[in-house]
Amino acid sequence: MSAGRRNPSNPRRSRKTVGGRTTTNDRLLRILLRRRKQPLSAEDVTVTDKPEVRRAVSAAALGNTMEWFDFGVYAYLAGTLGQVFFPSSSPGAQVVSTFATFAAAFLVRPLGGLVFGPLGDRIGRKRVLAATMIMMAVSTFAVGFLPSYDTIGFAAPILLLVCRLVQGFSTGGEYAGATTYIAEYAPDRRRGFLGSWLDFGTFVGYSLGSGLVTVLTAVLGEGDMVSWGWRIPFLVAGPLGLIGLYMRLRLEETPAFQREAEQAHQAAEQARTEGGEDPVDVARQSGKGRLKEIFTRHWEAVLICMGLVLLYNVTNYMVTSYLPTFMTETLGEDDLTAQLLVLGTMIVVVLTITTVGRTSDRWGRRPVFMAGSIAMIVLAAPAILLIRAGGILLPAFGCLLLGLLLVCFAGTSASTLPALFPTRLRYGALSISFNISVSLFGGTTPLIASALVEATGSDMVPAYYLMVAGVIGLIATFFLHETAGKPLRGSGPMVENEEEAQALVADSRAQAGRHARDVWIRLRHPWSRR
């Protein structure tokens, strides 16, 4: 730059005064400073429709209820299904075989996430959630019609495995899609509370499934349960699936996805008008382009998501899927006692989960996850020791302790995980991260725990497993950014009413004005800095 030219970015060079007043250059500089932080406009703020939000939350939660009804049934019928499909094995081997079939469904969940996640980012959340609901309902319903090992031999467990694989594939797009759907509909200040209803559906479904098995076991007895009673819970899944599908087909697309789709359409139209689409942008919008972007630009969010999912799901599957079998097969409790204890724990979780979600809106997601992780490390061993003590009272306290630890993560995850990723990649990134973590660590928890107990002879293995999960969750929480009360990445603010929207816009303009004033003062009077 030549010495004779002025540098307009230097306030000392551009400043001229006439009669003590700043010239046009100063006014232009002030305008530029104000534009550095644009205030919100009324179009940037989305006012949610309360009836539509309620429908969205209900439909998403019902899908989770359907999924976890199956999990509750499968966990409580593990011993019975072992006798039906693996009768030639020892009781311990039957349990391991049953849980191996259970875990196999989680091995295909990442494939479901790879298919349904990016698809949900391209064609919409609503269509994919309807498809996953159909697949879950049909595959669960089909289990109730499977012939036993005594009828068709080795083909029976093969057919059970096929049904579980279809369930796992469909579930690969279910939870991530449901959390994304609720998060993109919920007002920013209530995302924790509304998101907690998704996992409320989780534990209601589990409680319904396990409760039905408990009642059938008490009424029919072990003989009739092995003979034909085990089929009843799976057959109930058919009507539940039809109800869930009907509710999901009535939903609208989320406001965040609609806005993202409109912007993408406008950008594509503009590119075609200007002489063809940009090949870089075309690659970016493709499935491979999205996957590459997820793992190159958002790898830190992926790792944080996987750590939090590991913490939540190891605790979840340890309590819901393995604990009933651990109490009966390892500790020698009778089936009815173990089932009632875990069912009571689930009821406590159901009653407290929305309170935890509301608390995370007030205190933040990080404090809740942090407190839960530390508590897991400290209290997992005492909880298992209480469960080992025998009787009713002490095991009940141990189960209650595990339930309270579980609800810390269950009430917060649905609002925390979607906020890690931007709108255009949210469904896909969350599906992939969530399902990889669940497949490797969550769904394999019953299998690994039962195998380690069988191999080591130590009934403290579940406590050690939970403590390791607590450490990993604590590390992930340390790197987690607080998102409570803030807009989702790539989305504008979401509020409940027009008054809140107006107040938000006015506050944004005031903040932008203060910001411009502060920058102006610092540029004009650098000696005033402290």
Side-chain angles (χ1 to χ4, degrees):
M1 183 179 290
S2 63
R5 296 182 62 186
R6 292 184 181 274
N7 180 3
S9 63
N10 187 334
R12 292 185 179 277
R13 285 266 178 104
S14 61
R15 184 177 183 183
K16 293 181 179 181
T17 59
V18 179
R21 297 182 179 179
T22 58
T23 63
T24 302
N25 288 340
D26 294 319
R27 287 194 294 273
L28 290 175
L29 179 59
R30 190 164 199 145
I31 292 172
L32 291 173
L33 290 172
R34 184 179 294 276
R35 287 180 178 174
R36 291 179 62 184
K37 186 174 179 64
Q38 290 284 358
L40 292 172
S41 65
E43 292 75 18
D44 296 326
V45 183
T46 301
V47 179
T48 58
D49 182 276
K50 290 184 179 180
E52 189 64 33
V53 171
R54 283 195 295 269
R55 283 195 295 270
V57 172
S58 300
L62 187 59
N64 250 29
T65 300
M66 167 74 200
E67 175 187 350
W68 279 87
F69 177 86
D70 168 59
F71 285 155
V73 168
Y74 202 91
Y76 270 50
L77 286 176
T80 302
L81 293 177
Q83 297 178 57
V84 174
F85 292 97
F86 309 97
S88 60
S89 305
S90 65
Q94 287 178 356
V95 172
V96 172
S97 299
T98 304
F99 280 133
T101 308
F102 179 81
F106 290 86
L107 298 180
V108 298
R109 283 185 66 157
L111 296 178
L114 284 170
V115 172
F116 290 120
L119 191 63
D121 284 327
R122 296 175 67 181
I123 69 172
R125 286 65 162 121
K126 170 187 170 180
R127 297 178 184 176
V128 174
L129 285 174
T132 58
M133 172 64 75
I134 294 172
M135 293 180 67
M136 281 196 306
V138 171
S139 56
T140 303
F141 188 62
V143 174
F145 291 98
L146 295 181
S148 66
Y149 186 93
D150 293 336
T151 303
I152 61 171
F154 189 67
I158 296 297
L159 290 174
L160 177 64
L161 177 62
V162 170
C163 290
R164 291 295 301 164
L165 292 177
V166 175
Q167 289 170 339
F169 186 79
S170 61
T171 306
E174 172 61 31
Y175 186 83
T179 55
T180 296
Y181 197 87
I182 290 180
E184 291 182 350
Y185 251 117
D188 297 332
R189 293 184 179 180
R190 303 186 69 210
R191 192 179 304 123
F193 172 69
L194 293 174
S196 66
W197 285 97
L198 180 66
D199 288 281
F200 175 89
T202 293
F203 294 104
V204 166
Y206 182 91
S207 300
L208 289 174
S210 56
L212 179 57
V213 173
T214 302
V215 172
L216 290 173
T217 302
V219 172
L220 299 178
E222 183 176 352
D224 285 340
M225 284 297 293
V226 174
S227 177
W228 57 272
W230 64 271
R231 299 180 184 276
I232 296 175
F234 293 105
L235 298 178
V236 173
L240 283 178
L242 290 176
I243 296 171
L245 179 62
Y246 170 74
M247 293 184 65
R248 288 192 172 179
L249 290 176
R250 295 178 62 228
L251 294 176
E252 299 293 333
E253 205 42 90
T254 68
F257 179 81
Q258 289 179 358
R259 180 170 295 186
E260 183 70 27
E262 290 173 1
Q263 292 175 351
H265 178 72
Q266 292 173 1
E269 288 293 330
Q270 182 178 358
R272 281 193 289 269
T273 302
E274 294 176 355
E277 294 183 334
D278 184 358
V280 175
D281 189 61
V282 171
R284 187 165 170 261
Q285 295 295 332
S286 67
K288 291 183 179 179
R290 290 173 187 269
L291 288 177
K292 181 179 179 181
E293 186 175 353
I294 289 170
F295 288 107
T296 56
R297 298 185 58 187
H298 303 282
W299 61 268
E300 183 178 358
V302 168
L303 292 178
I304 293 172
C305 180
M306 290 179 64
L308 297 179
V309 170
L310 182 152
L311 172 65
Y312 173 25
N313 282 275
V314 165
T315 310
N316 191 8
Y317 291 109
M318 185 69 77
V319 175
T320 58
S321 298
Y322 180 63
L323 193 55
T325 304
F326 173 72
M327 295 175 70
T328 55
E329 302 296 329
T330 304
L331 302 182
E333 294 283 354
D334 64 273
D335 288 344
L336 188 58
T337 299
Q339 290 171 357
L340 288 174
L341 286 174
V342 178
L343 180 58
T345 304
M346 293 301 99
I347 292 174
V348 170
V349 172
V350 167
L351 293 175
T352 56
I353 191 168
T354 56
T355 301
V356 174
R358 195 190 300 272
T359 300
S360 74
D361 284 329
R362 183 175 303 174
W363 293 356
R365 323 293 188 218
R366 290 189 78 237
V368 176
F369 265 111
M370 192 77 71
S373 301
I374 294 172
M376 177 66 74
I377 298 169
V378 174
L379 298 177
I384 298 299
L385 288 172
L386 287 170
I387 294 172
R388 283 176 43 187
I392 296 293
L393 186 60
L394 292 180
F397 278 117
C399 291
L400 176 62
L401 201 56
L402 290 179
L404 293 176
L405 292 173
L406 172 59
V407 80
C408 290
F409 318 128
T412 317
S413 291
S415 56
T416 304
L417 302 180
L420 292 170
F421 305 103
T423 301
R424 63 178 300 273
L425 300 171
R426 183 170 295 124
Y427 198 158
L430 183 52
S431 291
I432 294 168
S433 307
F434 183 90
N435 288 298
I436 289 176
S437 186
V438 170
S439 300
L440 294 178
F441 309 108
T444 57
T445 295
L447 173 63
I448 295 175
S450 60
L452 287 176
V453 170
E454 188 85 6
T456 63
S458 172
D459 51 14
M460 287 301 292
V461 165
Y464 305 143
Y465 207 90
L466 290 172
M467 292 168 69
V468 172
V471 171
I472 295 174
L474 186 63
I475 295 172
T477 306
F478 180 80
F479 293 99
L480 177 68
H481 297 288
E482 186 56 69
T483 58
K486 300 177 181 178
L488 295 170
R489 291 182 61 183
S491 302
M494 302 275 289
V495 297
E496 293 187 85
N497 50 60
E498 291 289 347
E499 292 77 12
E500 190 176 346
Q502 293 171 5
L504 191 63
V505 170
D507 183 63
S508 174
R509 290 175 178 172
Q511 288 183 5
R514 287 193 295 269
H515 174 77
R517 181 199 62 195
D518 293 342
V519 173
W520 171 265
I521 292 174
R522 288 173 181 169
L523 286 173
R524 286 302 185 186
H525 306 286
W527 56 85
S528 65
R529 297 176 185 174
R530 294 291 185 266

